[in-house]
């Protein structure tokens, strides 16, 4: 009932009494609403004005992973001349890429802003902690990006030789001024794998995956890490034999008689399920686990091994995206498993965070090396539309990471 309707109140009550009753209701109701409203402390705080309150509320509601790419003339955080840690596979400028426009875009979330990467802030947040990138070479791509983003403030010490005999696929960096350790743990399938025919290895040879056995190459090392970023993707499109409980359950494009053909999504789902279960089974693990979601390739005019390339020089808009159903299915498959393990982890006091990069990267066909990079396999020449140039759009993944770490710190 509005105050203006008081004269029509059906009972014969005096105006003074009516006003008194309504006032009581009003002063009782408002505090109750404020208590039920999660933003009541902000609204009542003398330290925040109304515009600041709205800004904080918008940030809380913001989905940083949904948005678009916008021009950013200021350019990248670093170049191949200011950061000497870029490996040849991603060093597009070194190997003659003529355009630089792909470095002059920033991710703009819908309805809010993604802060610029602040290397000093990142290093303060991770002081005394450790971070592991678990997965394939695209995961290592993100680590290389982070090394360059931090290089403006500090260079890490390469301790890889003291960490492993395989210094190509396993890396370890240490920042003594911050007591911060960063490592890359190679495991392209996350589960145990081997060549089906060791005598016939190639980049597209048949492999066996043991879908219910996590790869000890990473599970034996991550228990003491504070942050673990798990990712995997493109290797699952290879010819694969799926094994589970000691038996072959099917295969993906293996073309072997009497073996059931299964989709790539079956193996992908089971690999993440096994990996997440392995994380939860670690007795001493107390870290935060991130799922960095599927990173799409952008081959056009053919596949990777029959003339495919990626020659575009600017991002797609959402309206220009086509034939992305398989990428979204890969995304949904791993996120389904993530949501399940996230709920289970809460019961054990474990934290899981989503680093959802798929939407942003679907729109960046211009960000790959194509032929402006040098393959680690010196006798093989392919256009690379899987990895990402450095500097380039992959730097945004670490902007996402810093944003989440800041939110974690604020929630403590």
């Amino acid at each position: 009932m509005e105050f203006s309707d008081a004269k029509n109140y059906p009972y014969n009550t005096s105006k003074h009494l009516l006003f008194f009753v309504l006032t009581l209701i009003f002063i009782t109701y408002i505090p109750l609403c404020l208590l039920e409203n999660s933003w009541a402390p902000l609204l009542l705080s003398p330290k925040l004005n109304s515009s600041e309150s709205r800004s904080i509320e918008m940030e809380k509601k913001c989905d940083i992973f949904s948005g678009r790419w916008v021009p950013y003339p200021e350019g990248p955080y670093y170049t191949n001349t200011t950061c000497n840690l870029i490996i040849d596979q991603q060093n597009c400028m070194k190997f003659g890429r003529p355009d630089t426009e792909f470095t002059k875009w920033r991710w703009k979330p819908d309805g809010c802003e993604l802060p610029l990467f602040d290397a000093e802030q990142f290093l303060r947040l991770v002081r005394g902690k450790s971070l592991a990138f678990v997965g394939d070479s695209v995961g290592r791509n993100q680590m290389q990006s982070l090394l360059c983003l931090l290089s403006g403030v500090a260079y890490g010490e390469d301790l890889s030789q003291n960490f492993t005999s395989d210094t190509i696929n396993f890396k370890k960096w240490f920042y003594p001024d911050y007591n911060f350790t960063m490592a890359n743990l190679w495991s392209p399938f996350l589960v145990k794998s081997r060549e089906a025919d060791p005598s016939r290895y190639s980049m597209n040879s048949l492999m066996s995956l043991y879908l219910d056995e996590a790869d000890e190459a990473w599970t034996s090392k991550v228990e003491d890490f504070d942050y673990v970023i798990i990712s995997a993707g493109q290797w699952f499109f290879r010819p694969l034999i799926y094994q589970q409980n000691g038996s072959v359950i099917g295969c993906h494009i293996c073309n072997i008689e009497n073996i059931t053909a299964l989709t790539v999504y079956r193996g992908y789902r089971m690999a993440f399920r096994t990996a997440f279960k392995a994380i939860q089974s670690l007795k001493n693990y107390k870290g935060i686990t991130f799922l960095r979601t599927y990173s799409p390739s952008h081959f056009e005019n053919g596949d990777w091994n029959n003339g495919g390339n990626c020659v575009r020089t600017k991002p797609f808009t959402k309206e220009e995206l086509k034939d992305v159903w398989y990428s979204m299915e890969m995304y949904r498959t791993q996120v389904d498993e993530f949501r399940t393990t996230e709920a289970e982890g809460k019961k054990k006091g474990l934290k899981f965070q989503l680093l959802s990069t798929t939407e942003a990267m679907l729109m960046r066909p211009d960000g790959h090396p194509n032929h402006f990079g040098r393959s680690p396999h010196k006798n093989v020449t392919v256009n690379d539309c899987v990895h990402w140039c450095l500097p380039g759009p992959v730097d945004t993944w670490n902007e996402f990471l810093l944003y989440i770490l800041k939110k974690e710190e604020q929630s403590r």
Side-chain angles (χ1 to χ4, degrees):
M1 181 175 61
E2 301 292 335
F3 287 113
S4 59
D5 296 329
K7 62 183 179 180
N8 298 320
Y9 194 66
Y11 301 103
N12 186 17
T13 306
S14 70
K15 288 184 178 180
H16 293 292
L17 178 60
L18 175 60
F19 184 81
F20 176 74
V21 171
L22 290 174
T23 302
L24 280 177
I25 293 173
F26 184 81
I27 64 176
T28 303
Y29 177 72
I30 293 302
L32 287 175
C33 288
L34 290 176
L35 287 173
E36 292 173 356
N37 189 334
S38 61
W39 290 106
L42 297 179
L43 294 172
L44 296 173
S45 172
K47 297 180 181 179
L48 295 172
N49 59 36
S50 59
S51 63
E52 289 173 326
S53 297
R54 286 194 298 271
S55 176
I56 292 173
E57 185 169 0
M58 285 297 293
E59 182 178 344
K60 188 174 180 69
K61 293 180 179 179
C62 176
D63 178 5
I64 59 169
F65 306 123
S66 180
R68 67 190 189 280
W69 293 95
V70 297
Y72 188 69
E74 287 84 351
Y77 294 99
Y78 59 91
T79 68
N80 67 313
T81 58
T82 62
C83 178
N84 61 12
L85 299 173
I86 306 173
I87 63 174
D88 285 353
Q89 188 177 18
Q90 294 136 21
N91 202 334
C92 303
M93 296 293 100
K94 176 180 176 180
F95 293 101
R97 179 162 178 167
D99 64 302
T100 60
E101 292 306 305
F102 72 96
T103 68
K104 297 177 182 178
W105 297 85
R106 281 207 78 228
W107 180 247
K108 172 66 173 68
D110 296 328
C112 59
E113 297 293 332
L114 177 65
L116 289 165
F117 188 88
D118 184 329
E120 289 186 358
Q121 185 178 53
F122 183 94
L123 287 167
R124 287 197 303 269
L125 287 170
V126 298
R127 185 186 295 275
K129 298 184 183 297
S130 54
L131 166 65
F133 293 89
V134 176
D136 57 21
S137 54
V138 179
R140 185 169 67 233
N141 203 168
Q142 182 180 1
M143 186 192 74
Q144 296 287 345
S145 162
L146 185 54
L147 287 169
C148 281
L149 288 168
L150 298 178
S151 66
V153 172
Y155 270 88
E157 297 177 7
D158 187 350
L159 303 182
S160 303
Q161 290 186 340
N162 302 329
F163 181 55
T164 177
S165 58
D166 182 1
T167 57
I168 299 297
N169 293 314
F170 293 82
K171 291 284 188 181
K172 186 176 183 179
W173 298 84
F174 181 64
Y175 291 77
D177 290 344
Y178 298 89
N179 190 25
F180 170 56
T181 301
M182 179 161 48
N184 171 235
L185 307 178
W186 171 256
S187 184
F189 296 108
L190 305 177
V191 295
K192 180 181 174 182
S193 64
R194 67 173 178 82
E195 290 292 329
D197 182 359
S199 66
R200 299 182 59 187
Y201 172 77
S202 73
M203 293 178 68
N204 204 35
S205 56
L206 183 63
M207 299 187 74
S208 291
L209 290 194
Y210 300 83
L211 296 176
D212 52 353
E213 299 182 45
D215 184 4
E216 292 184 358
W218 68 270
T219 59
S220 63
K221 293 181 172 63
V222 299
E223 199 159 8
D224 295 328
F225 280 85
D226 298 288
Y227 308 108
V228 175
I229 301 178
I230 290 181
S231 61
Q234 299 298 328
W235 281 67
F236 285 84
F237 293 102
R238 293 178 61 129
L240 300 170
I241 295 176
Y242 297 145
Q243 301 209 29
Q244 197 168 337
N245 297 321
S247 301
V248 174
I249 62 168
C251 72
H252 172 247
I253 58 172
C254 67
N255 299 318
I256 299 176
E257 292 184 5
N258 301 320
I259 297 184
T260 304
L262 298 175
T263 68
V264 62
Y265 312 114
R266 174 70 176 272
Y268 202 52
R269 179 179 299 279
M270 290 305 302
F272 276 98
R273 182 176 299 177
T274 297
F276 288 139
K277 284 182 177 179
I279 282 282
Q280 295 205 53
S281 69
L282 295 173
K283 291 182 179 180
N284 299 315
Y285 179 67
K286 304 298 181 184
I288 299 177
T289 305
F290 294 81
L291 168 64
R292 197 270 296 152
T293 63
Y294 178 75
S295 175
S297 64
H298 287 95
F299 288 101
E300 298 183 76
N301 309 309
D303 295 327
W304 68 271
N305 56 351
N306 62 5
N309 57 21
C310 42
V311 298
R312 295 181 185 266
T313 57
K314 65 179 183 178
F316 285 136
T317 63
K318 287 185 179 180
E319 292 72 25
E320 291 174 310
L321 288 177
K322 297 177 181 178
D323 299 326
V324 298
W325 62 269
Y326 80 89
S327 293
M328 295 311 299
E329 191 62 31
M330 295 289 278
Y331 169 84
R332 281 189 289 267
T333 297
Q334 60 182 173
V335 171
D336 282 349
E337 294 303 315
F338 170 83
R339 293 303 183 196
T340 299
T341 201
E342 181 185 31
E344 294 172 350
K346 285 182 179 179
K347 301 173 185 176
K348 301 179 181 180
L350 292 176
K351 286 189 176 182
F352 290 81
Q353 287 278 8
L354 196 63
L355 198 61
S356 186
T357 58
T358 305
E359 178 180 325
M361 304 314 282
L362 278 169
M363 291 183 258
R364 292 310 305 267
D366 57 322
H368 301 287
N370 199 23
H371 60 273
F372 298 110
R374 181 163 294 172
S375 171
H377 307 283
K378 297 297 190 294
N379 60 338
V380 178
T381 300
V382 294
N383 289 331
D384 184 354
C385 303
V386 171
H387 300 93
W388 304 93
C389 292
L390 293 178
V394 70
D395 294 323
T396 300
W397 300 2
N398 291 312
E399 292 177 337
F400 290 159
L401 177 61
L402 175 55
Y403 183 93
I404 295 171
L405 292 179
K406 286 191 293 185
K407 300 290 282 187
E408 278 292 323
E409 182 70 16
Q410 293 165 5
S411 67
R412 291 180 182 175

